[in-house]
Amino acid sequence: MLVFKSVSALVGHFKNEKLKSHSVGFVPTMGALHSGHISLLHAAREENDVVIVSIFVNPLQFNNQNDLEFYPRPLNDDIALLEKNKCDILFLPSAEEIFSCKPLLKLDFGNLDTVLEGKHRPGHFNGVGIIVSKLFNIVQPDKAYFGQKDLQQFLIVQQLVNDLSFQIKLERCPIIRENDGLALSSRNLRIPSPLREKASVIYKSLCLAEGLLNSKPIPEIEKEIDIFFKNYPEIQLEYFKIVDSDSLKEVYSIQDRKEVALCIAAVLGGIRLIDNKIIAIN
Ligand code: AMP
């Protein structure tokens, strides 16, 4: 695996790849890699000649300094995992390499960034939009792979690709979970171990809501989920919302809908976790 830390070296390398008409699949990450990230790498591997993964902990998207400081950075393990899974190129820039000057750009994604994560993490999606645009401009991949785990992020990147005419096809990959249902996340390692088994309650609440979709009105389902979490005082529910899976607008009835997304954020032992489930309506 080739490792590039500078933009100019990577861009120089890709000029050659493009001359060879190689297709390039790109997986942007913040590292602390797990099987969720690796599933994106495998999807990219299947569909492209060259696979590039980036590891960059983007300071712009952290609205909480503590979260940025304690974000895990197990670089040697990450490199070993990427090599084992046949990644061709790792792009590993420093913050100075990417942000030689502080970006002033302000992005507006309309409704998409004022709800759910956008509402609870001011500035987060502006930071995501800027780093993804920069990485797309540097790497210029044919395809880019994102996880449904961050559904709102995926929709925002899709909007970015449309609004700015990036010639990149986006792929949304399924959520990889632990055996007990907890969605894999780099933050899971930071859940204090006595609380870890409680974390599966987050996914269980999504399944509970799914089971009620055909029998109860949505406001009642949302109330039930609130009540369900009262049984687990160690988990603070931040939001549970049933929304349109494309616009993320709140849905009040499933009538005449093809698909909804159940979206949740909760805090356990000081660690904020998000999850979602997309449900096709029969
Ligand atoms: P991150 O390193 O958290 O920025 O994530 C990098 C990419 O991996 C994003 O597109 C995430 O949506 C995706 N990802 C994170 N966790 C999972 C998971 N459990 N299953 C599938 N994809 C994931």
Side-chain angles (χ1 to χ4, degrees):
M1 180 173 74
L2 296 171
V3 181
F4 292 101
K5 294 189 173 177
S6 86
V7 173
S8 58
L10 182 78
V11 169
H13 177 82
F14 269 123
K15 279 204 178 118
N16 286 331
E17 292 293 336
K18 295 262 159 59
L19 284 178
K20 290 186 225 155
S21 305
H22 281 169
S23 62
V24 175
F26 177 40
V27 181
T29 82
M30 297 203 299
L33 302 178
H34 51 64
S35 307
H37 298 111
I38 298 304
S39 72
L40 309 189
L41 165 55
H42 288 165
R45 186 72 282 165
E46 267 186 26
E47 298 178 346
N48 300 276
D49 301 316
V50 178
V51 175
I52 171 165
V53 171
S54 63
I55 296 181
F56 181 66
V57 183
N58 173 29
L60 280 192
Q61 72 188 69
F62 283 81
N63 51 319
N64 176 334
Q65 272 310 111
N66 210 34
D67 197 19
L68 171 61
E69 199 176 318
F70 291 105
Y71 201 84
R73 292 166 171 87
L75 188 55
N76 290 339
D77 293 351
D78 284 353
I79 289 177
L81 200 56
L82 290 175
E83 282 190 322
K84 188 171 150 214
N85 285 281
K86 306 199 164 34
C87 175
D88 298 306
I89 297 174
L90 168 61
F91 182 42
L92 188 64
S94 64
E96 297 71 37
E97 181 71 10
I98 294 293
F99 296 117
S100 49
C101 55
K102 191 172 182 278
L104 298 175
L105 187 63
K106 290 280 174 276
L107 298 167
D108 182 345
F109 295 98
N111 177 66
L112 278 181
D113 69 352
T114 57
V115 296
L116 307 174
E117 290 302 285
K119 192 166 168 188
H120 288 83
R121 302 183 66 187
H124 170 67
F125 287 117
N126 191 58
V128 168
I130 290 174
I131 189 62
V132 170
S133 303
K134 275 179 172 277
L135 291 171
F136 280 1
N137 279 325
I138 294 166
V139 176
Q140 299 191 14
D142 298 285
K143 288 189 174 183
Y145 297 78
F146 291 84
Q148 182 200 313
K149 164 76 169 36
D150 299 281
L151 176 64
Q152 192 168 10
Q153 168 173 281
F154 176 80
L155 294 170
I156 280 190
V157 174
Q158 198 167 53
Q159 188 72 39
L160 200 64
V161 164
N162 290 338
D163 285 359
L164 297 179
S165 301
F166 281 111
Q167 299 303 298
I168 299 171
K169 187 164 182 299
L170 297 185
E171 296 290 343
R172 191 186 80 191
C173 301
I175 302 176
I176 307 297
R177 301 180 178 281
E178 302 276 10
N179 287 338
D180 67 355
L182 177 66
L184 293 188
S185 162
S186 310
R187 291 188 168 85
N188 292 356
L189 294 172
R190 292 168 53 206
I191 302 171
S193 47
L195 294 177
R196 166 60 189 85
E197 63 166 322
K198 288 283 186 296
S200 62
V201 165
I202 295 171
Y203 181 61
K204 288 196 182 107
S205 74
L206 294 179
C207 298
L208 171 68
E210 178 182 11
L212 297 172
L213 262 186
N214 285 312
S215 58
K216 288 206 170 184
I218 283 178
E220 274 189 38
I221 300 176
E222 293 179 346
K223 252 188 239 156
E224 275 222 20
I225 296 299
D226 268 343
I227 295 168
F228 174 75
F229 274 97
K230 300 265 185 299
N231 298 316
Y232 303 97
E234 33 314 71
I235 305 178
Q236 295 84 51
L237 178 64
E238 209 166 81
Y239 63 76
F240 168 80
K241 294 274 179 222
I242 301 181
V243 296
D244 180 275
S245 54
D246 287 321
S247 69
L248 299 183
K249 289 196 174 130
E250 273 193 63
V251 164
Y252 299 99
S253 155
I254 58 168
Q255 245 174 7
D256 303 328
R257 296 208 169 257
K258 287 206 182 92
E259 204 179 72
V260 294
L262 317 180
C263 298
I264 190 165
V267 180
L268 174 62
I271 305 304
R272 191 171 180 281
L273 302 168
I274 59 169
D275 200 352
N276 69 79
K277 208 165 198 279
I278 295 180
I279 317 284
I281 309 291
N282 304 311

